[in-house]
Amino acid sequence: MNNEPSGSRSRRRLAGLSLFLLVLLTFAAIAIPMWLIQPFSPQTPEGLSLSYTLRRWAPWGTLLALAAGLGITAWLWRGSRWWSRTACALALVALAAAAWVSRQNIFEKMFAPLEGPSFAAASEANWVGEEETVMAIQVDGEAVAFPVRQLAYHHIVQDLIGKEPIVATY
């Protein structure tokens, strides 16, 4: 039988629920931009605005959530059973991971530039269909073409045309 007064149990449950909600909110702040800004998915102005707002606020928000999680865990720790302590420790690990991830440029990893593209003469490029859209660039009489389906994934290619460095994006 638990000797804790009913009000104290209610406060502890509310604190545990708050800790769980902090974890959910921090992961939502990271996952929503990744979900809304995906390669090959339609993007709306509202979705982009929300994504950039979350990206801007997530580093500070996740730190505040981690600090709040530490406070809640410290309050819950004394008098808790091993499974409650384990849950609190796992929540802190999740909050710390969210704080770290929120400081990474996930978009850079999602839209990795196409490095070291390989080239072939148009007559030898059998992986590009005749009706396929390409982005063509000409510099000083030398021309190259990049299939749009590849650019749609990588969004950017860094290359040299002759001796001129270029960056093509789509």
Side-chain angles (χ1 to χ4, degrees), residues 30-144:
I30 293 165
I32 288 172
M34 291 179 1
W35 177 258
L36 292 175
I37 301 178
Q38 296 182 51
F40 304 115
S41 291
Q43 299 165 357
T44 65
E46 296 82 15
L48 290 173
S49 178
L50 175 62
S51 295
Y52 287 127
T53 299
L54 287 172
R55 287 288 301 147
R56 189 172 49 254
W57 287 97
W60 287 107
T62 55
L63 274 182
L64 289 173
L66 178 58
L70 282 167
I72 292 169
T73 297
W75 185 75
L76 286 173
W77 196 265
R78 196 174 53 196
S80 292
R81 295 187 174 151
W82 69 269
W83 50 268
S84 293
R85 289 181 176 181
T86 302
C88 286
L90 289 174
L92 287 179
V93 167
L95 290 170
W100 180 79
V101 169
S102 72
R103 285 158 178 72
Q104 309 307 308
N105 186 351
I106 196 70
F107 299 118
E108 186 177 284
K109 291 168 182 35
M110 289 171 61
F111 300 109
L114 182 60
E115 294 181 12
S118 40
F119 298 97
S123 61
E124 297 171 6
N126 57 6
W127 63 91
V128 181
E130 287 184 29
E131 300 296 318
E132 190 169 342
T133 305
V134 297
M135 178 185 289
I137 304 167
Q138 183 175 347
V139 176
D140 295 331
E142 187 174 337
V144 297

Side-chain angles (χ1 to χ4, degrees), residues 136-157:
I137 304 167
Q138 183 175 347
V139 176
D140 295 331
E142 187 174 337
V144 297
F146 304 101
V148 168
R149 70 179 152 87
Q150 268 190 315
L151 285 175
Y153 178 76
H154 294 285
H155 288 266
I156 190 168
V157 64

